[in-house]
Amino acid sequence: MQRSTELFDRAKKVIPGGVNSPVRSFRSVGGSPFFTEKAEGAKLYTADGQELIDFVCTWGPAIHGHNCRPVHDAVAQALDKGTSFGTPNPYEVELAEMVCDWVPSVEMVRMVNSGTEATMSAVRLARGFTGRTKLIKFAGCYHGHVDSLLVKAGSGALTLGNPDSAGIPADLARHTIVLPYNDTQALDAAFAEHGEDLAAVIVESYPANCGLILPDEGYLPHLRALCDRYQSVLILDEVMTGFRLAKGGVQEIEGVTPDLCAMGKVIGGGLPVGAFGGKREIMEQLAPLGPVYQAGTLSGNPLAMAAGIAQLQLLAERDPYAELDQMGARLASVLRTAAEEKGIPLQVPQRGSMFSLFFAEDRVRNYEDATSSRTDYFNQVFRYALDHGVYLPPSAFETCFLCTAHTPDLIDRASDVLTAAIKAL
Ligand SMILES: *Cc1c(COP(=O)(O)O)cnc(C)c1O
């Protein structure tokens, strides 16, 4: 860790906390982060010469593994033609056509530079379209660091939100209603009280930012029906799940079509891309056609678009979803068996290439359940795994990701390490 420690010491002097995104700081698992020198396939190579089997996959984007050749080559080709034009370019059209083709709800799409920008813009658009102000979001769902969405539940019976970060005006936060996930009664009550003022409900397609939480049977259709009844915009945040769990995202899997959806991560092939799209009637409210302003100097950037096109084309060619799901199911079952043999309760929710570890007795259905799981166990497993060449996300409340570069051999090796890590608890 010597070189990483040196770099981190330098970083802390010039970058707050030494990181450009807080979860990278290892605060929740303890210790200090390693620096990555390069990444290839399913492996990270650290600045200290360690080789790690990576289950973070750059927090989702690297579905074909790191430094995937076709994506790499597409970016290199685009690079030869210039890095940014400030005019429309052909790549934008091609990627937009693919997204409209693949994602059920998307009739028109706009490219942005991050998932945060995508959800922020979708919320503004929903408010502009409906002429209403209030939003519903769910405890434990993360939608990027958008002011209106960095909001937590108010105390007691109050459903009106409180700021979940310093710097967010309470006056703004109170327009956001925060509900427990998977609770249809709370949803019905909030709609009954605020339905006429509700611009939008935003929900992670599968909540995956406090570990992976799956919707109860019928929950998403119920939400869709309520939004229809009250003419509120349903925004599905597929930043993490889009193109990762199916070509058309969770909306394709669950058969629930939102009015708008936010995308990011996989869509950019590891370059900074986000996107939001949906019904034509709503999207046409955006500038320059309509009154809702939204813009971006680097939006639709040719390098980023080239990476996205190559990434999606590869998904179309390989159709890796069934294979990734089998891999995920296998790993989840190894983890469950290890915990059972050790006599420690462990929940491993898994869908396709996403899974997480909750040290808890019962299925985790919401934020409450997630946060009452044993994070000390997770942290010990994390540390043991890292010491033995396996990198899990550095927080109990993140999701693990698989990619097509996780070969059976790597999965076997990781299974052995994770089994030993659980046995060592
Ligand atoms: C990562 C994430 C975001 C934010 O995307 P950034 O690119 O980090 O701004 C938004 N929503 C969900 C569901 C995410 O997982």
Side-chain angles (χ1 to χ4, degrees):
M1 280 294 282
Q2 196 186 339
R3 178 142 169 75
S4 284
T5 309
E6 279 166 25
L7 283 165
F8 196 46
D9 286 342
R10 273 170 59 198
K12 281 188 286 193
K13 295 195 179 103
V14 286
I15 303 171
V19 291
N20 283 310
S21 198
V23 71
R24 295 180 199 163
S25 72
F26 278 31
R27 279 281 167 97
S28 48
V29 288
S32 72
F34 61 85
F35 281 60
T36 300
E37 194 100 357
K38 68 167 190 170
E40 192 74 41
K43 287 196 183 155
L44 297 180
Y45 298 84
T46 75
D48 317 295
Q50 208 190 354
E51 200 181 301
L52 299 171
I53 304 174
D54 179 20
F55 289 108
V56 182
C57 293
T58 184
W59 301 94
I63 191 165
H64 303 300
H66 296 286
N67 205 13
C68 158
R69 272 297 121 175
V71 177
H72 173 283
D73 293 348
V75 175
Q77 261 185 19
L79 182 60
D80 273 344
K81 301 181 195 163
T83 55
S84 175
F85 309 138
T87 71
N89 69 65
Y91 301 105
E92 303 171 276
V93 189
E94 193 175 341
L95 187 56
E97 284 172 350
M98 290 175 90
V99 172
C100 291
D101 209 30
W102 288 17
V103 185
S105 65
V106 178
E107 294 171 350
M108 296 183 105
V109 61
R110 183 158 278 174
M111 298 296 164
V112 292
N113 306 286
S114 69
T116 294
E117 254 188 275
T119 57
M120 175 188 78
S121 308
V123 163
R124 183 183 307 141
L125 178 56
R127 283 174 162 161
F129 174 71
T130 56
R132 300 171 178 176
T133 304
K134 285 204 172 353
L135 304 172
I136 286 179
K137 69 154 290 197
F138 299 91
C141 281
Y142 175 71
H143 305 287
H145 59 100
V146 178
D147 281 357
S148 285
L149 302 175
L150 272 186
V151 175
K152 62 184 174 193
S155 57
L158 289 176
T159 53
L160 299 187
N162 287 333
D164 200 13
S165 160
I168 295 174
D171 275 351
L172 181 65
R174 75 186 169 78
H175 297 301
T176 304
I177 296 157
V178 183
L179 300 180
Y181 187 71
N182 267 333
D183 181 340
T184 43
Q185 275 181 354
L187 205 52
D188 291 343
F191 266 93
E193 189 174 349
H194 303 287
E196 310 290 331
D197 305 322
L198 265 181
V201 177
I202 185 166
V203 63
E204 276 190 74
S205 45
Y206 290 153
N209 280 286
C210 73
L212 180 62
I213 298 177
L214 297 168
D216 290 349
E217 182 82 38
Y219 185 66
L220 290 174
H222 187 75
L223 184 52
R224 174 69 274 181
L226 282 171
C227 287
D228 285 340
R229 186 175 337 143
Y230 288 88
Q231 311 251 295
S232 304
V233 174
L234 177 59
I235 306 172
L236 212 52
D237 182 350
E238 297 235 42
V239 170
M240 207 178 255
T241 52
F243 312 103
R244 174 163 275 285
L245 297 185
K247 278 172 74 179
V250 168
Q251 53 197 282
E252 176 192 311
I253 297 170
E254 298 286 339
V256 170
T257 308
D259 302 301
L260 291 176
C261 78
M263 294 160 277
K265 299 193 169 123
V266 169
I267 198 179
L271 271 76
V273 182
F276 64 104
K279 283 197 177 130
R280 184 175 301 276
E281 175 195 12
I282 305 179
M283 291 300 288
E284 284 180 344
Q285 296 301 307
L286 280 177
L289 292 181
V292 179
Y293 194 70
Q294 190 278 330
T297 303
L298 293 176
S299 295
N301 172 270
L303 300 188
M305 295 296 102
I309 294 164
Q311 172 105 320
L312 296 202
Q313 272 171 350
L314 211 53
L315 285 173
E317 279 164 32
R318 292 181 176 168
D319 192 12
Y321 300 109
E323 189 190 328
L324 285 168
D325 186 48
Q326 279 164 18
M327 201 193 286
R330 210 178 108 212
L331 201 48
S333 123
V334 165
L335 293 167
R336 288 183 200 117
T337 305
E340 211 166 289
E341 284 172 13
K342 174 75 184 176
I344 283 180
L346 175 66
Q347 305 293 322
V348 191
Q350 176 259 335
R351 276 290 186 285
S353 54
M354 297 166 64
F355 65 94
S356 69
L357 286 77
F358 290 115
F359 289 93
E361 291 280 353
D362 301 312
R363 186 169 88 84
V364 170
R365 295 180 56 247
N366 55 36
Y367 176 76
E368 280 277 317
D369 293 350
T371 49
S372 44
S373 69
R374 293 277 305 256
T375 55
D376 55 334
Y377 280 168
F378 177 86
N379 293 351
Q380 286 176 56
V381 168
F382 169 85
R383 181 56 53 193
Y384 183 101
L386 187 57
D387 289 344
H388 292 81
V390 173
Y391 180 48
L392 298 176
S395 160
F397 303 123
E398 299 289 351
T399 294
C400 305
F401 295 101
L402 297 167
C403 68
T404 56
H406 282 111
T407 57
D409 175 52
L410 290 178
I411 294 292
D412 284 347
R413 275 162 58 190
S415 297
D416 290 347
V417 168
L418 293 173
T419 297
I422 290 170
K423 296 278 170 79
L425 286 173

